Amino acid sequence: MNKHTAALSAAGAVLALTLTACSGADEKGKGGPGPSAISHIHGVEVHPGDGKLYVATHNGIYTPGAGGRPQLVGDRKDDFMGFTLGKDGTFLASGHPAPGRDAPANLGLIESTDTGRSWKDRSLTGEVDFHSLDHAHDTIYGYDSTNGLLRVSKDGTDWEKRSGLKALDIAVSPTDPGTVLATTESGISRSTDGGKTFAAGSGTVMAFLDWTDEKSLYGVDPAGKVSVSADGGKTWRQTGTAPGGGPQALTAVDARRLVVATQDGVYESADGGAAFTKRLDVTSGGGH
């Protein structure tokens, strides 16, 4: 979701444009497995087992190679949209097939148990494109952008439809399965019943959220400013600004460590967003 930074007074308008975006025009992958250039990032995760950074993009899953150059994982160059990890490190994703691959336009939920080297279809193939996925409380929460609603599944096969809403990202409380937040053009929308209903968006406009620690809900706004909330998003404290502009994805590994993807790179912070180190190069100007 492309974030063209503007003054914060225009943040709602920026996010509104983002909410209507999906994949851009078909873009051929650049080369086979190995170092490559990427420009559209849809998700970032750090694997709990091997500690590697994995980046979901418009043309495959990548990890940092030599000199911070993107290294393609496996050989599948699909347009990976929603991307998250299960408790055991299982990759869960959604999106669209690569140009020329014989598959439905919407991948539904797909799964990899070998860190992205191979994938299998799990459910909703051809029906749904999840733009945001979260795994918490042994449950998968997915924002179904195709139909504009939240879906929830315990097993990745059978899904319960919950509230309709227009959102970019979702985050689930690590301690309360009933509390689900969604980023909207009018602010953060909150559910206290597991996504069956959402209050109207209000307060700070955020592009992306991640909530790994109860007292450390992280958010990045459309201008790239990083903030943390100790009270579940009611109040925020700005910690810094992610370099590169145009945030595209966020993950919080723990209460201090977070990773933010922007227009020119994937950056990691070990101090809650005060300082960042580039982990992966990204070609500038890419959106989706």
Side-chain angles (χ1 to χ4, degrees):
M1 295 68 184
N2 189 13
K3 308 293 179 306
H4 298 290
T5 56
L8 271 180
S9 60
V14 173
L15 193 57
L17 290 174
T18 296
L19 288 168
T20 64
C22 183
S23 299
D26 285 348
E27 180 177 289
K28 299 292 184 183
K30 302 177 179 70
S36 180
I38 58 174
S39 60
H40 306 330
I41 293 177
H42 302 152
V44 288
E45 293 288 347
V46 175
H47 196 280
D50 61 21
K52 284 186 178 180
L53 171 66
Y54 291 91
V55 181
T57 81
H58 185 70
N59 62 334
I61 302 286
Y62 290 81
T63 193
R69 292 284 293 167
Q71 188 83 23
L72 181 66
V73 177
D75 58 3
R76 188 154 158 175
K77 288 199 167 187
D78 289 344
D79 180 9
F80 288 90
M81 298 296 294
F83 177 54
T84 193
L85 302 187
K87 187 185 300 183
D88 60 356
T90 296
F91 284 17
L92 300 169
S94 190
H96 315 283
R101 191 167 77 81
D102 185 17
N106 293 325
L107 296 179
L109 183 72
I110 59 175
E111 175 188 88
S112 173
T113 57
D114 56 9
T115 61
R117 291 187 291 274
S118 64
W119 294 83
K120 68 177 181 179
D121 297 336
R122 283 297 305 276
S123 57
L124 300 175
T125 304
E127 300 178 39
V128 168
D129 170 23
F130 288 110
H131 272 199
S132 180
L133 289 165
D134 201 357
H135 187 272
H137 313 290
D138 296 318
T139 301
I140 304 168
Y141 298 75
Y143 177 64
D144 171 1
S145 67
T146 309
N147 300 289
L149 57 86
L150 185 74
R151 292 179 184 255
V152 173
S153 175
K154 280 288 188 181
D155 59 7
T157 301
D158 297 317
W159 293 84
E160 179 186 343
K161 294 180 181 179
R162 295 196 176 173
S163 179
L165 74 163
K166 187 177 181 182
L168 174 58
D169 196 21
I170 59 172
V172 182
S173 165
T175 58
D176 176 14
T179 300
V180 184
L181 306 181
T183 59
T184 78
E185 61 190 76
S186 57
I188 295 172
S189 179
R190 181 183 303 271
S191 172
T192 57
D193 56 11
K196 295 176 182 176
T197 60
F198 279 88
S202 63
T204 304
V205 174
M206 291 291 181
F208 299 99
L209 301 170
D210 203 34
W211 203 351
T212 299
D213 180 88
E214 180 184 4
K215 297 294 185 181
S216 302
L217 166 66
Y218 279 97
V220 59
D221 75 9
K225 293 181 179 178
V226 178
S227 299
V228 65
S229 174
D231 56 13
K234 297 180 178 67
T235 61
W236 294 90
R237 175 177 60 86
Q238 186 180 335
T239 59
T241 300
Q248 298 179 350
L250 164 73
T251 190
V253 182
D254 55 35
R256 299 285 290 168
R257 184 182 175 197
L258 61 149
V259 179
V260 182
T262 67
Q263 286 185 339
D264 76 350
V266 179
Y267 294 88
E268 181 172 339
S269 174
D271 57 7
F276 285 89
T277 301
K278 182 179 274 192
R279 292 290 312 277
L280 193 71
D281 289 325
V282 176
T283 58
S284 63
H288 49 284

